[in-house]
Amino acid sequence: MGGWLVLEPYITPSLFLAFNQTNGNESIPIDEYHYTKQLGPDEAARRLQNHWDTFYNELDFETIKSFGLNMVRIPIGYWAFKKLPNDPYVQGAQEYLDKALEWAKNNDRKVWIDLHGLPGSQNGFDNSGYRDIGFPGWFNTTENIELSYEVLHQIYVKYGTASMARNYKDTILGIEVVNEPYSPALSMEKILEFYETTYRDARATQALNNTIVFHDAFKGIGFYNNFMSENTSNNGSNSTSNSNSTSNSNSNSSSPYYNILIDHHHYEVFGGAVSQNITTHIQNIKDYSESIKDELKHHPAVVGEWSAALTDCTPWLNGVGLGSRYEGQLPYLDFSRVGSCSQINNFKKWSKAQRKAYRKFIEIQLDQYTRNSNGWIFWCFKTETTIEWDFKRLVELGLMPQPLNNFTYILNGTDTDPKKSLASSLKFECYFIFLVVAMIFI
């Protein structure tokens, strides 16, 4: 449920475009921090209250159920629980998280609470609330770290020990301690220390032994095999493989660690793969999911974010003011232009081949993540304007299978319609050979 309790400009662009509508000379804020800072506390509270009231409601949970989805991951920022002294953020989102729990319970859906933004930003991306790409400031101050622990402790107390926990013990599936900490720019040692410390606090605080979720911090699959394994007694250094560790353990486990889940996020459009054809994308997904399958001997693991995106064309996907790799725009001039982004959200302009490629890409991910991991979560359920990132719209357009295993092209991990996928490249190769022969003849 991205873009609801933590703003992301590409998910709800209307909130950000409003700055141009009211004052053409006013800069569009790049994240929620600057959104609230530019508006001031009163006006920001008014606009966000309206957004929280309208973007999601109980009807969405009924739709989620009807689409065959059994849980939702709900991102929320630290500022919903406690702010730093100079934070401009508006509080109030916590109330809506509580409403979502009620809506989920009423519809027999599970909820995964996801702490999506931490003080100073754990990744420098706008999805953390504060964008400073390449310079995440989470570990820059003791105050940031202490507040992170404090907020998680509040979450454990509220949703794991009090009446809220009793009411929602069959609803709250787990808690993700931090979304996407960016290890290339942060100390991995400190990230692991944070993971273990918050895990121990969860077990000491909560009456419920729900799942504690660790994002992979952009480390390769298998990195956590020897970290806090269920056969581990001291930080994973002496752990051994346990083929039974993929099942949920309980509080009687002989290991100090149980109900730990590794969260992997996989997208094909934030690097060189954005230029690849659908045949290569399908193989990429098969290779990726197979590696997760090997990891399950040590920890349960899910693909906690994936999308239908074959381009990074969606406006502001990379951030306000930033272009796309697909068109080779700033700041991605090192990427060769693949094509035009102009019609990415105009489905009427999509060719039959394009529609087929997207359907195949979705199907192979559904197939492989279901087969080779403990589950998957699509990012995200709905947006204002996108196609590639909007589960609900993909269903409406016939690109997302309904029911979810009603595949048209993929069977047992294989593309049953590969010839037409290769038709254009084969046609080009034949034409090229003809030209060469003709030139030799001449």
Side-chain angles (χ1 to χ4, degrees), residues 84-107:
L84 291 168
N86 295 322
D87 276 342
Y89 293 114
V90 170
Q91 293 188 303
Q94 190 178 159
E95 173 189 344
Y96 290 86
L97 174 58
D98 296 345
K99 288 183 178 182
L101 290 172
E102 182 67 18
W103 299 335
K105 181 180 179 181
N106 292 345
N107 288 278

PDB file of all heavy atoms in Angstrom, residues 84-107:
ATOM      1  N   LEU A  84      11.797  13.959  15.348  1.00  0.00           N
ATOM      2  CA  LEU A  84      12.949  14.715  15.823  1.00  0.00           C
ATOM      3  C   LEU A  84      12.510  16.152  16.108  1.00  0.00           C
ATOM      4  O   LEU A  84      11.516  16.625  15.533  1.00  0.00           O
ATOM      5  CB  LEU A  84      14.063  14.707  14.770  1.00  0.00           C
ATOM      6  CG  LEU A  84      14.753  13.369  14.523  1.00  0.00           C
ATOM      7  CD1 LEU A  84      15.606  13.444  13.263  1.00  0.00           C
ATOM      8  CD2 LEU A  84      15.613  12.977  15.723  1.00  0.00           C
ATOM      9  N   PRO A  85      13.224  16.885  16.957  1.00  0.00           N
ATOM     10  CA  PRO A  85      12.787  18.236  17.351  1.00  0.00           C
ATOM     11  C   PRO A  85      12.509  19.175  16.182  1.00  0.00           C
ATOM     12  O   PRO A  85      11.566  19.959  16.237  1.00  0.00           O
ATOM     13  CB  PRO A  85      13.957  18.737  18.205  1.00  0.00           C
ATOM     14  CG  PRO A  85      14.562  17.498  18.780  1.00  0.00           C
ATOM     15  CD  PRO A  85      14.426  16.449  17.709  1.00  0.00           C
ATOM     16  N   ASN A  86      13.286  19.105  15.127  1.00  0.00           N
ATOM     17  CA  ASN A  86      13.125  20.050  14.011  1.00  0.00           C
ATOM     18  C   ASN A  86      12.397  19.458  12.806  1.00  0.00           C
ATOM     19  O   ASN A  86      12.367  20.081  11.737  1.00  0.00           O
ATOM     20  CB  ASN A  86      14.497  20.575  13.581  1.00  0.00           C
ATOM     21  CG  ASN A  86      15.164  21.395  14.669  1.00  0.00           C
ATOM     22  OD1 ASN A  86      14.500  22.146  15.376  1.00  0.00           O
ATOM     23  ND2 ASN A  86      16.470  21.229  14.816  1.00  0.00           N
ATOM     24  N   ASP A  87      11.820  18.299  12.967  1.00  0.00           N
ATOM     25  CA  ASP A  87      11.108  17.678  11.850  1.00  0.00           C
ATOM     26  C   ASP A  87       9.866  18.475  11.458  1.00  0.00           C
ATOM     27  O   ASP A  87       9.079  18.861  12.333  1.00  0.00           O
ATOM     28  CB  ASP A  87      10.664  16.257  12.224  1.00  0.00           C
ATOM     29  CG  ASP A  87      11.743  15.220  12.007  1.00  0.00           C
ATOM     30  OD1 ASP A  87      12.703  15.503  11.273  1.00  0.00           O
ATOM     31  OD2 ASP A  87      11.619  14.114  12.574  1.00  0.00           O
ATOM     32  N   PRO A  88       9.629  18.689  10.160  1.00  0.00           N
ATOM     33  CA  PRO A  88       8.419  19.363   9.709  1.00  0.00           C
ATOM     34  C   PRO A  88       7.248  18.397   9.492  1.00  0.00           C
ATOM     35  O   PRO A  88       6.124  18.830   9.214  1.00  0.00           O
ATOM     36  CB  PRO A  88       8.839  19.980   8.373  1.00  0.00           C
ATOM     37  CG  PRO A  88       9.839  19.014   7.831  1.00  0.00           C
ATOM     38  CD  PRO A  88      10.578  18.471   9.038  1.00  0.00           C
ATOM     39  N   TYR A  89       7.520  17.090   9.608  1.00  0.00           N
ATOM     40  CA  TYR A  89       6.495  16.096   9.306  1.00  0.00           C
ATOM     41  C   TYR A  89       5.211  16.324  10.102  1.00  0.00           C
ATOM     42  O   TYR A  89       5.236  16.817  11.238  1.00  0.00           O
ATOM     43  CB  TYR A  89       6.999  14.691   9.626  1.00  0.00           C
ATOM     44  CG  TYR A  89       8.129  14.184   8.770  1.00  0.00           C
ATOM     45  CD1 TYR A  89       9.389  13.937   9.332  1.00  0.00           C
ATOM     46  CD2 TYR A  89       7.952  13.937   7.418  1.00  0.00           C
ATOM     47  CE1 TYR A  89      10.431  13.441   8.557  1.00  0.00           C
ATOM     48  CE2 TYR A  89       8.988  13.448   6.634  1.00  0.00           C
ATOM     49  CZ  TYR A  89      10.220  13.213   7.212  1.00  0.00           C
ATOM     50  OH  TYR A  89      11.255  12.730   6.444  1.00  0.00           O
ATOM     51  N   VAL A  90       4.104  15.910   9.501  1.00  0.00           N
ATOM     52  CA  VAL A  90       2.793  15.958  10.149  1.00  0.00           C
ATOM     53  C   VAL A  90       2.477  14.582  10.711  1.00  0.00           C
ATOM     54  O   VAL A  90       2.645  13.571  10.030  1.00  0.00           O
ATOM     55  CB  VAL A  90       1.705  16.380   9.141  1.00  0.00           C
ATOM     56  CG1 VAL A  90       0.320  16.190   9.732  1.00  0.00           C
ATOM     57  CG2 VAL A  90       1.913  17.834   8.733  1.00  0.00           C
ATOM     58  N   GLN A  91       2.010  14.535  11.932  1.00  0.00           N
ATOM     59  CA  GLN A  91       1.615  13.267  12.526  1.00  0.00           C
ATOM     60  C   GLN A  91       0.127  13.007  12.284  1.00  0.00           C
ATOM     61  O   GLN A  91      -0.623  13.909  11.929  1.00  0.00           O
ATOM     62  CB  GLN A  91       1.936  13.258  14.018  1.00  0.00           C
ATOM     63  CG  GLN A  91       3.444  13.278  14.295  1.00  0.00           C
ATOM     64  CD  GLN A  91       3.770  13.070  15.759  1.00  0.00           C
ATOM     65  OE1 GLN A  91       3.315  13.805  16.612  1.00  0.00           O
ATOM     66  NE2 GLN A  91       4.574  12.049  16.040  1.00  0.00           N
ATOM     67  N   GLY A  92      -0.273  11.758  12.483  1.00  0.00           N
ATOM     68  CA  GLY A  92      -1.663  11.379  12.269  1.00  0.00           C
ATOM     69  C   GLY A  92      -1.824  10.087  11.497  1.00  0.00           C
ATOM     70  O   GLY A  92      -2.890   9.474  11.492  1.00  0.00           O
ATOM     71  N   ALA A  93      -0.753   9.643  10.837  1.00  0.00           N
ATOM     72  CA  ALA A  93      -0.844   8.434  10.014  1.00  0.00           C
ATOM     73  C   ALA A  93      -1.066   7.186  10.854  1.00  0.00           C
ATOM     74  O   ALA A  93      -1.649   6.200  10.369  1.00  0.00           O
ATOM     75  CB  ALA A  93       0.421   8.285   9.174  1.00  0.00           C
ATOM     76  N   GLN A  94      -0.628   7.213  12.098  1.00  0.00           N
ATOM     77  CA  GLN A  94      -0.773   6.050  12.969  1.00  0.00           C
ATOM     78  C   GLN A  94      -2.243   5.650  13.117  1.00  0.00           C
ATOM     79  O   GLN A  94      -2.582   4.455  13.150  1.00  0.00           O
ATOM     80  CB  GLN A  94      -0.156   6.360  14.333  1.00  0.00           C
ATOM     81  CG  GLN A  94      -0.025   5.188  15.255  1.00  0.00           C
ATOM     82  CD  GLN A  94       0.632   5.541  16.574  1.00  0.00           C
ATOM     83  OE1 GLN A  94       0.477   4.827  17.557  1.00  0.00           O
ATOM     84  NE2 GLN A  94       1.371   6.646  16.624  1.00  0.00           N
ATOM     85  N   GLU A  95      -3.108   6.648  13.181  1.00  0.00           N
ATOM     86  CA  GLU A  95      -4.549   6.394  13.289  1.00  0.00           C
ATOM     87  C   GLU A  95      -5.055   5.598  12.086  1.00  0.00           C
ATOM     88  O   GLU A  95      -5.922   4.716  12.218  1.00  0.00           O
ATOM     89  CB  GLU A  95      -5.291   7.731  13.381  1.00  0.00           C
ATOM     90  CG  GLU A  95      -6.799   7.621  13.329  1.00  0.00           C
ATOM     91  CD  GLU A  95      -7.481   8.971  13.198  1.00  0.00           C
ATOM     92  OE1 GLU A  95      -6.797  10.001  13.446  1.00  0.00           O
ATOM     93  OE2 GLU A  95      -8.677   9.006  12.851  1.00  0.00           O
ATOM     94  N   TYR A  96      -4.508   5.870  10.921  1.00  0.00           N
ATOM     95  CA  TYR A  96      -4.956   5.203   9.703  1.00  0.00           C
ATOM     96  C   TYR A  96      -4.370   3.798   9.584  1.00  0.00           C
ATOM     97  O   TYR A  96      -5.002   2.911   8.995  1.00  0.00           O
ATOM     98  CB  TYR A  96      -4.635   6.069   8.487  1.00  0.00           C
ATOM     99  CG  TYR A  96      -5.502   7.293   8.462  1.00  0.00           C
ATOM    100  CD1 TYR A  96      -5.135   8.441   9.163  1.00  0.00           C
ATOM    101  CD2 TYR A  96      -6.726   7.281   7.802  1.00  0.00           C
ATOM    102  CE1 TYR A  96      -5.951   9.556   9.183  1.00  0.00           C
ATOM    103  CE2 TYR A  96      -7.555   8.398   7.818  1.00  0.00           C
ATOM    104  CZ  TYR A  96      -7.163   9.525   8.508  1.00  0.00           C
ATOM    105  OH  TYR A  96      -7.986  10.625   8.541  1.00  0.00           O
ATOM    106  N   LEU A  97      -3.202   3.574  10.144  1.00  0.00           N
ATOM    107  CA  LEU A  97      -2.682   2.221  10.235  1.00  0.00           C
ATOM    108  C   LEU A  97      -3.619   1.369  11.082  1.00  0.00           C
ATOM    109  O   LEU A  97      -3.921   0.223  10.727  1.00  0.00           O
ATOM    110  CB  LEU A  97      -1.279   2.241  10.840  1.00  0.00           C
ATOM    111  CG  LEU A  97      -0.639   0.881  11.126  1.00  0.00           C
ATOM    112  CD1 LEU A  97      -0.542   0.034   9.858  1.00  0.00           C
ATOM    113  CD2 LEU A  97       0.741   1.058  11.761  1.00  0.00           C
ATOM    114  N   ASP A  98      -4.108   1.946  12.173  1.00  0.00           N
ATOM    115  CA  ASP A  98      -5.051   1.227  13.032  1.00  0.00           C
ATOM    116  C   ASP A  98      -6.358   0.933  12.295  1.00  0.00           C
ATOM    117  O   ASP A  98      -6.938  -0.151  12.430  1.00  0.00           O
ATOM    118  CB  ASP A  98      -5.337   2.030  14.298  1.00  0.00           C
ATOM    119  CG  ASP A  98      -4.097   2.213  15.162  1.00  0.00           C
ATOM    120  OD1 ASP A  98      -3.105   1.486  14.935  1.00  0.00           O
ATOM    121  OD2 ASP A  98      -4.106   3.090  16.047  1.00  0.00           O
ATOM    122  N   LYS A  99      -6.812   1.893  11.487  1.00  0.00           N
ATOM    123  CA  LYS A  99      -8.019   1.654  10.693  1.00  0.00           C
ATOM    124  C   LYS A  99      -7.791   0.517   9.692  1.00  0.00           C
ATOM    125  O   LYS A  99      -8.667  -0.332   9.492  1.00  0.00           O
ATOM    126  CB  LYS A  99      -8.414   2.930   9.942  1.00  0.00           C
ATOM    127  CG  LYS A  99      -8.989   4.036  10.808  1.00  0.00           C
ATOM    128  CD  LYS A  99      -9.423   5.227   9.948  1.00  0.00           C
ATOM    129  CE  LYS A  99     -10.050   6.313  10.814  1.00  0.00           C
ATOM    130  NZ  LYS A  99     -10.521   7.459   9.995  1.00  0.00           N
ATOM    131  N   ALA A 100      -6.613   0.516   9.077  1.00  0.00           N
ATOM    132  CA  ALA A 100      -6.305  -0.519   8.100  1.00  0.00           C
ATOM    133  C   ALA A 100      -6.306  -1.903   8.743  1.00  0.00           C
ATOM    134  O   ALA A 100      -6.730  -2.886   8.125  1.00  0.00           O
ATOM    135  CB  ALA A 100      -4.954  -0.237   7.446  1.00  0.00           C
ATOM    136  N   LEU A 101      -5.831  -1.985   9.979  1.00  0.00           N
ATOM    137  CA  LEU A 101      -5.863  -3.264  10.694  1.00  0.00           C
ATOM    138  C   LEU A 101      -7.297  -3.743  10.875  1.00  0.00           C
ATOM    139  O   LEU A 101      -7.596  -4.935  10.726  1.00  0.00           O
ATOM    140  CB  LEU A 101      -5.168  -3.133  12.048  1.00  0.00           C
ATOM    141  CG  LEU A 101      -3.649  -2.955  12.014  1.00  0.00           C
ATOM    142  CD1 LEU A 101      -3.121  -2.633  13.402  1.00  0.00           C
ATOM    143  CD2 LEU A 101      -2.970  -4.203  11.472  1.00  0.00           C
ATOM    144  N   GLU A 102      -8.190  -2.829  11.194  1.00  0.00           N
ATOM    145  CA  GLU A 102      -9.598  -3.177  11.352  1.00  0.00           C
ATOM    146  C   GLU A 102     -10.205  -3.621  10.021  1.00  0.00           C
ATOM    147  O   GLU A 102     -10.929  -4.619   9.946  1.00  0.00           O
ATOM    148  CB  GLU A 102     -10.368  -1.984  11.912  1.00  0.00           C
ATOM    149  CG  GLU A 102     -11.847  -2.247  12.173  1.00  0.00           C
ATOM    150  CD  GLU A 102     -12.084  -3.237  13.294  1.00  0.00           C
ATOM    151  OE1 GLU A 102     -11.161  -3.471  14.108  1.00  0.00           O
ATOM    152  OE2 GLU A 102     -13.195  -3.802  13.360  1.00  0.00           O
ATOM    153  N   TRP A 103      -9.896  -2.884   8.954  1.00  0.00           N
ATOM    154  CA  TRP A 103     -10.407  -3.245   7.631  1.00  0.00           C
ATOM    155  C   TRP A 103      -9.876  -4.618   7.201  1.00  0.00           C
ATOM    156  O   TRP A 103     -10.615  -5.417   6.611  1.00  0.00           O
ATOM    157  CB  TRP A 103      -9.997  -2.199   6.597  1.00  0.00           C
ATOM    158  CG  TRP A 103     -10.519  -0.822   6.879  1.00  0.00           C
ATOM    159  CD1 TRP A 103     -11.640  -0.496   7.603  1.00  0.00           C
ATOM    160  CD2 TRP A 103      -9.949   0.419   6.457  1.00  0.00           C
ATOM    161  NE1 TRP A 103     -11.793   0.869   7.649  1.00  0.00           N
ATOM    162  CE2 TRP A 103     -10.771   1.453   6.953  1.00  0.00           C
ATOM    163  CE3 TRP A 103      -8.826   0.757   5.707  1.00  0.00           C
ATOM    164  CZ2 TRP A 103     -10.507   2.799   6.714  1.00  0.00           C
ATOM    165  CZ3 TRP A 103      -8.553   2.089   5.469  1.00  0.00           C
ATOM    166  CH2 TRP A 103      -9.381   3.106   5.962  1.00  0.00           C
ATOM    167  N   ALA A 104      -8.616  -4.871   7.501  1.00  0.00           N
ATOM    168  CA  ALA A 104      -8.034  -6.166   7.154  1.00  0.00           C
ATOM    169  C   ALA A 104      -8.696  -7.289   7.947  1.00  0.00           C
ATOM    170  O   ALA A 104      -9.031  -8.350   7.397  1.00  0.00           O
ATOM    171  CB  ALA A 104      -6.526  -6.146   7.413  1.00  0.00           C
ATOM    172  N   LYS A 105      -8.900  -7.057   9.234  1.00  0.00           N
ATOM    173  CA  LYS A 105      -9.540  -8.066  10.074  1.00  0.00           C
ATOM    174  C   LYS A 105     -10.949  -8.370   9.573  1.00  0.00           C
ATOM    175  O   LYS A 105     -11.357  -9.540   9.502  1.00  0.00           O
ATOM    176  CB  LYS A 105      -9.580  -7.585  11.520  1.00  0.00           C
ATOM    177  CG  LYS A 105     -10.210  -8.586  12.484  1.00  0.00           C
ATOM    178  CD  LYS A 105     -10.222  -8.051  13.907  1.00  0.00           C
ATOM    179  CE  LYS A 105     -10.877  -9.048  14.854  1.00  0.00           C
ATOM    180  NZ  LYS A 105     -10.914  -8.534  16.257  1.00  0.00           N
ATOM    181  N   ASN A 106     -11.681  -7.330   9.211  1.00  0.00           N
ATOM    182  CA  ASN A 106     -13.051  -7.518   8.725  1.00  0.00           C
ATOM    183  C   ASN A 106     -13.092  -8.345   7.445  1.00  0.00           C
ATOM    184  O   ASN A 106     -14.115  -8.973   7.140  1.00  0.00           O
ATOM    185  CB  ASN A 106     -13.714  -6.162   8.479  1.00  0.00           C
ATOM    186  CG  ASN A 106     -13.956  -5.389   9.767  1.00  0.00           C
ATOM    187  OD1 ASN A 106     -13.894  -5.945  10.856  1.00  0.00           O
ATOM    188  ND2 ASN A 106     -14.197  -4.091   9.641  1.00  0.00           N
ATOM    189  N   ASN A 107     -11.996  -8.309   6.688  1.00  0.00           N
ATOM    190  CA  ASN A 107     -11.942  -9.031   5.413  1.00  0.00           C
ATOM    191  C   ASN A 107     -11.024 -10.248   5.463  1.00  0.00           C
ATOM    192  O   ASN A 107     -10.678 -10.804   4.414  1.00  0.00           O
ATOM    193  CB  ASN A 107     -11.501  -8.077   4.308  1.00  0.00           C
ATOM    194  CG  ASN A 107     -12.584  -7.079   3.934  1.00  0.00           C
ATOM    195  OD1 ASN A 107     -13.479  -7.397   3.157  1.00  0.00           O
ATOM    196  ND2 ASN A 107     -12.501  -5.875   4.495  1.00  0.00           N
TER     197      ASN A 107
END
